[in-house]
Amino acid sequence: MRRSTVLGSVLAVLASVITSVGAPPGRAAAAAQDDFLWGVATSGYQSEGSAPDSNWRRYEQAGTASIKDPYVNAVDFRHRYAEDIANAKALGVEVFRFGVEWSRIEPRKGVVDQAELAYYDDVVARILAAGMRPMITLDHWVYPGWVADQGGWDADATVDDWLANARRVVDRYKGKGAIWITINEPTIYLQNEIANGGLEAWQTPWMMSRLVTVHRRAYDMIHQLDPGTLVSSNTAYLPAGVQIGQDTLFVDHVRDKLDFLGLDYYYGASLDNISAVHGASGEFWKIDPQPDGIYYALRYYAQKFPTLPLYIVENGMPTDNGLARPDGYTRSNHLRDHIYWIQRAKADGIKVIGYNYWSITDNYEWGSYRPRFGLYTVDALTDPTLTRRPTDAVATYRALITGHGVPAGYAPVKPPAFCSIVSLDSCLSPARYPGPVAPLN
Ligand code: BGC
């Protein structure tokens, strides 16, 4: 992924092009959750395998900029979902996030593949039978090949086609307590489309305005079909003030159509940690994690949108192909330290309603299997059995869920960064440390 390359230069242009709506909070009251939701997350293309024609299938076959490894069969979630759902249940999570792939259920315009819909029916049924709640992503960066043929997000027709598919999915899974994510990380979606040739940079404003439009319409449609549900889009948090600009592209235009804000936090920045630059080369495992940054990401939105509940829809740590990090920092350390800072945020009055670990298994990291994020590791390129092997963090996550977080007095393995610049005020107004932690229940 290219998180940091294109974005800065297009922010100013885009902000003026997209129509601002700036309305007051809509149905935020619906998000009044009393219980903290623990979850795991995955996406369709990254894990399913046997992928039909789509923008990403074409990128992989053409060997575009992001492609380092062949897709092969990903981790075959398409046929092994029962095992992954059972593993999630054994963790004790309450939410299982996955994506329903448009390219799979509508491989040709207007032609619905009933067998693939039946597969998703069974995914949803098993999640419910396991006592969990589905969190369904309608668009995790993948659209059918026939949509690519009509111009992808540069085509007006894509808006109505996208909404027709969304309606089909919501209509099918309404009334089951699902939480809905319309579009995963809209701005990173844009960056990937440009990086892989799905779109020219100058077409950027049109894609962003169409994503705003489909989110706004989908929000109303979902609430009409599935009353009382929760709807959001998730944003990738980018440090050092970049988030402010990123918000002008999407979040600021849909504020009144969010029941909570989905927040993905992976990487921070501080005066003693600028390792996030490794993201530019795709070497995410070289980035030094900055757990206290999740506190500042939450605080940024708590200050910006005081009435909007926040949900960490993704958080996790990449390793280099499953190898231990050279500094000895484990997936368990990373997980506990981030939960500590979420508990600090809650103790400081920030309304955080849930946390999903990214990801239940390793998967196709948009062109490469080398960055591994899974609670369960899978050798996608070399193990024909695609065996799921638990990492140290499986037992850790289970214990955190049972214990409602880390115990009072927990000392993070990684101390706070020196002068964090995760938000513009984080260096000048650091969180009290050590400080109180609230249980997550
Ligand atoms: C995306 C995931 C990705 C993860 C880790 C997020 O940007 O939603 O698809 O795998 O980050 O890089």
Side-chain angles (χ1 to χ4, degrees), residues 1 3 46 140-141 184-185 264 266 314 358 365-366 373:
M1 286 190 300
R3 284 177 190 273
Q46 290 180 271
H140 204 121
W141 303 349
N184 181 72
E185 299 184 352
D264 301 351
Y266 287 94
E314 291 181 30
W358 182 274
E365 182 56 28
W366 304 109
F373 288 85

Side-chain angles (χ1 to χ4, degrees), residues 17-236:
V17 174
I18 299 172
T19 308
S20 178
V21 290
R27 302 177 195 238
Q33 298 277 343
D34 289 331
D35 298 327
F36 188 83
L37 295 170
W38 297 94
V40 289
T42 188
S43 85
Y45 188 76
Q46 290 180 271
S47 62
E48 285 178 334
S50 38
D53 184 29
S54 71
N55 57 333
W56 269 92
R57 196 78 186 120
R58 293 181 183 193
Y59 302 152
E60 192 253 338
Q61 283 159 356
T64 57
S66 300
I67 307 303
K68 299 186 178 89
D69 289 327
Y71 180 74
V72 200
N73 204 26
V75 295
D76 194 23
F77 180 85
R78 170 67 183 84
H79 301 102
R80 295 165 202 247
Y81 57 91
E83 182 183 355
D84 293 338
I85 292 168
N87 283 339
K89 179 185 179 181
L91 285 168
V93 296
E94 299 144 299
V95 171
F96 192 99
R97 178 185 179 213
F98 69 101
V100 173
E101 284 297 348
W102 183 10
S103 59
R104 190 177 282 287
I105 57 178
E106 192 179 355
R108 290 186 303 287
K109 188 175 170 94
V111 177
V112 176
D113 188 325
Q114 295 298 336
E116 296 303 308
L117 268 180
Y119 145 61
Y120 288 117
D121 291 350
D122 198 41
V123 170
V124 171
R126 282 177 189 270
I127 291 170
L128 295 172
M132 295 183 289
R133 207 169 163 178
M135 180 185 276
I136 302 179
T137 311
L138 293 169
D139 187 333
H140 204 121
W141 303 349
V142 178
Y143 49 79
W146 60 266
V147 174
D149 289 338
Q150 72 188 19
W153 285 106
D154 194 46
D156 277 338
T158 299
V159 170
D160 286 342
D161 291 338
W162 190 100
L163 286 163
N165 178 64
R167 176 175 287 275
R168 168 170 43 234
V169 176
V170 175
D171 205 33
R172 198 157 180 111
Y173 303 123
K174 67 189 176 194
K176 298 185 188 302
I179 298 170
W180 298 95
I181 299 292
T182 55
I183 302 153
N184 181 72
E185 299 184 352
T187 53
I188 311 295
Y189 191 1
L190 162 77
Q191 285 181 267
N192 280 325
E193 286 295 280
I194 294 172
N196 292 292
L199 208 69
E200 300 289 333
W202 62 267
Q203 296 167 314
T204 292
W206 317 126
M207 173 165 176
M208 290 312 299
S209 81
R210 288 188 181 99
L211 293 184
V212 167
T213 299
V214 296
H215 174 87
R216 295 185 63 80
R217 292 199 197 153
Y219 179 90
D220 292 340
M221 181 264 288
I222 295 169
H223 275 291
Q224 191 191 12
L225 292 176
D226 197 11
T229 190
L230 301 176
V231 183
S232 187
S233 165
N234 52 321
T235 182

Side-chain angles (χ1 to χ4, degrees), residues 248-278:
T248 67
L249 300 182
F250 186 82
V251 169
D252 291 348
H253 304 278
V254 300
R255 165 65 189 91
D256 59 322
K257 304 282 181 189
L258 297 171
D259 297 320
F260 63 93
L261 183 70
L263 191 53
D264 301 351
Y265 176 81
Y266 287 94
Y267 313 114
S270 63
L271 291 197
D272 63 352
N273 181 15
I274 54 161
S275 60
V277 294
H278 290 298

Side-chain angles (χ1 to χ4, degrees), residues 361-374:
T361 62
D362 293 336
N363 54 41
Y364 193 56
E365 182 56 28
W366 304 109
S368 173
Y369 284 106
R370 191 165 169 183
R372 296 208 189 184
F373 288 85

Side-chain angles (χ1 to χ4, degrees), residues 295 298 340-352 436:
Y295 176 99
L298 287 165
Y340 166 88
W341 282 103
I342 294 170
Q343 291 177 246
R344 280 286 298 108
K346 191 174 172 200
D348 286 358
I350 294 174
K351 179 131 184 84
V352 51

